[in-house]
Amino acid sequence: MNTEKKKLVVIALGGNAIKQAHEKGTAEEQFKNVEITCEQLVKMNAMGYKLIITHGNGPQAGNLLIQQEEGKNIVPPQPLDVVGAMTQGQIGYMFQNTLQNYFMQKGKDIPITAVITQVLVKEDDPDFKDPSKPVGPFYTEVEAKELEKAKGYIVKKVKPNSDKPWRRVVPSPEPYGIVESNCIKALVDARAIVIASGGGGIPVMKNNDGTLSGLEAVIDKDKAGNKLAQEVKADIFLVLTDVENAKINFGEQNEQALGNITVEEAEKYLQEGHFLAGSMGPKVTAAIRFVKAGGEKSIITSLANAADALNGKTGTIIVK
Ligand code: ADP
Ligand code: MG
């Protein structure tokens, strides 16, 4: 009998795992991408890993926010935390359905489930004072100012030289806890493949009486994914994006892909500004935090290279 403990991997899927940049975001397009992504997940399952999957929701939440806006005279628009929950359901369903169908056809009985996940943030997080994350549709200055007055939205000019350069911005606070992590862990221990903390999770704050209230904010999915990985005591944190490696001197002549590196090296490169804020920056930050908190290793690579990276053959691998 094989008594070796199966390793638990938390996989953070990038935007391209669900919707390609050039696509509109039809259900058919998204199911097709999810199917390609699931081929990789199935490979990892066959390699003997226990899996928790988390994912982004930027394009899906953006589209839903447009639907709230455009339909507001017919049905009441829903706030951002509710929209976040809706995207967790939407994307969770696509993965559940696709993985279930795959395993059913192979005659494998593996429970697959998505968990609506709330993530704790602090009300006094500095990002609440000066929100930086653009969400939803683009507006003209007149439209933006109207929304500012009517709804108290914070709006910023984010795309100069456009006829609709304004956008709503929301805070992007640091996650400090995953409300459902015990449930997620129990499901994994019961052999399930779990989809959780989608879109970085639904931001909630703890009130004085201990109750939780949803907030209109967006948490970085890689940072929330790392928190989840820590709380479920994952062995490996695997960040899958659209590039095979994190690079130093990114976009320069002397650009260099990073292979196996230590936390100290990663921190040095991060401080030197090699990883852009809002894209590779939070991935490397999350990867460093995971290893520092006692995780075995963090890996950053592309979706297509996931299995090879787990075998140590490619990707940026960060260890102690
Ligand atoms: P995801 O949807 O997977 O989170 P992002 O666009 O947020 O994707 O992050 C991946 C992108 O980060 C890459 O496509 C690349 O353009 C960008 N990037 C920024 N800095 C670096 C770097 N130092 N090395 C590699 N990619 C980088
Ligand atoms: Mg990203």
Side-chain angles (χ1 to χ4, degrees):
M1 197 177 90
N2 181 8
T3 51
E4 199 188 335
K5 185 179 154 277
K6 279 190 170 188
K7 293 209 166 168
L8 173 59
V9 190
V10 169
I11 304 164
L13 294 171
N16 67 324
I18 307 160
K19 179 186 164 291
Q20 301 298 317
H22 65 275
E23 292 173 342
K24 285 207 173 96
T26 66
E28 290 76 14
E29 284 167 346
Q30 295 181 84
F31 266 116
K32 195 191 76 222
N33 291 314
V34 165
E35 206 164 297
I36 294 165
T37 302
C38 286
E39 285 170 18
Q40 299 300 321
L41 301 175
V42 163
K43 255 193 229 170
M44 293 181 241
N45 168 265
M47 287 163 76
Y49 290 103
K50 296 194 278 186
L51 307 177
I52 295 176
I53 296 137
T54 187
H55 57 80
N57 72 343
Q60 293 76 19
N63 283 358
L64 253 181
L65 284 168
I66 291 172
Q67 289 176 332
Q68 307 309 305
E69 197 62 40
E70 294 293 317
K72 69 183 171 205
N73 296 326
I74 312 166
V75 285
Q78 303 300 305
L80 193 55
D81 54 329
V82 178
V83 164
M86 290 158 85
T87 64
Q88 288 187 348
Q90 170 197 348
I91 298 168
Y93 156 58
M94 290 180 170
F95 278 96
Q96 257 180 227
N97 175 269
T98 306
L99 284 171
Q100 282 164 347
N101 283 346
Y102 178 87
F103 287 122
M104 192 267 292
Q105 283 164 347
K106 298 279 166 200
K108 274 192 163 185
D109 174 28
I110 300 175
I112 321 280
T113 189
V115 174
I116 302 296
T117 310
Q118 304 170 92
V119 175
L120 292 160
V121 300
K122 295 235 159 78
E123 207 188 356
D124 60 0
D125 190 289
D127 227 77
F128 281 105
K129 291 219 175 70
D130 185 21
S132 57
K133 175 87 185 162
V135 293
F138 288 84
Y139 302 110
T140 63
E141 182 164 1
V142 173
E143 288 169 333
K145 296 290 169 187
E146 260 168 31
L147 285 165
E148 199 173 30
K149 240 191 263 156
K151 292 210 168 175
Y153 284 4
I154 299 170
V155 289
K156 280 188 184 164
K157 196 173 180 175
V158 294
K159 202 179 179 188
N161 309 321
S162 146
D163 52 343
K164 290 193 167 192
W166 292 74
R167 237 176 144 189
R168 179 183 181 192
V169 289
V170 297
S172 187
E174 289 289 322
Y176 77 89
I178 309 289
V179 176
E180 287 80 12
S181 56
N182 286 340
C183 303
I184 295 164
K185 180 81 172 123
L187 287 164
V188 167
D189 290 343
R191 297 177 42 255
I193 295 178
V194 184
I195 302 107
S197 191
I202 304 159
V204 294
M205 56 170 258
K206 205 170 232 166
N207 302 305
N208 288 335
D209 64 358
T211 57
L212 303 176
S213 302
L215 291 170
E216 297 216 68
V218 169
I219 304 169
D220 179 82
K221 68 120 190 350
D222 297 311
K223 287 182 177 173
N226 155 57
K227 261 281 157 225
L228 174 61
Q230 285 183 32
E231 292 194 8
V232 299
K233 299 196 166 52
D235 301 285
I236 300 167
F237 179 49
L238 176 59
V239 181
L240 297 181
T241 181
D242 56 2
V243 288
E244 191 169 344
N245 298 81
K247 291 166 188 158
I248 51 171
N249 304 312
F250 179 61
E252 308 286 325
Q253 290 250 305
N254 57 343
E255 169 181 290
Q256 197 190 325
L258 296 168
N260 289 47
I261 55 170
T262 63
V263 167
E264 285 73 32
E265 288 171 299
E267 278 183 321
K268 180 174 152 276
Y269 296 138
L270 183 67
Q271 271 155 22
E272 288 171 358
H274 289 281
F275 315 115
L276 297 187
S279 57
M280 190 53 75
K283 295 181 199 307
V284 175
T285 301
I288 290 170
R289 286 180 186 171
F290 179 69
V291 176
K292 276 191 146 178
E296 178 187 312
K297 63 180 155 184
S298 294
I299 304 173
I300 300 170
T301 193
S302 62
L303 185 58
N305 286 296
D308 279 349
L310 278 172
N311 285 328
K313 289 190 193 139
T314 186
T316 298
I317 303 178
I318 304 177
V319 293
K320 204 147 201 170

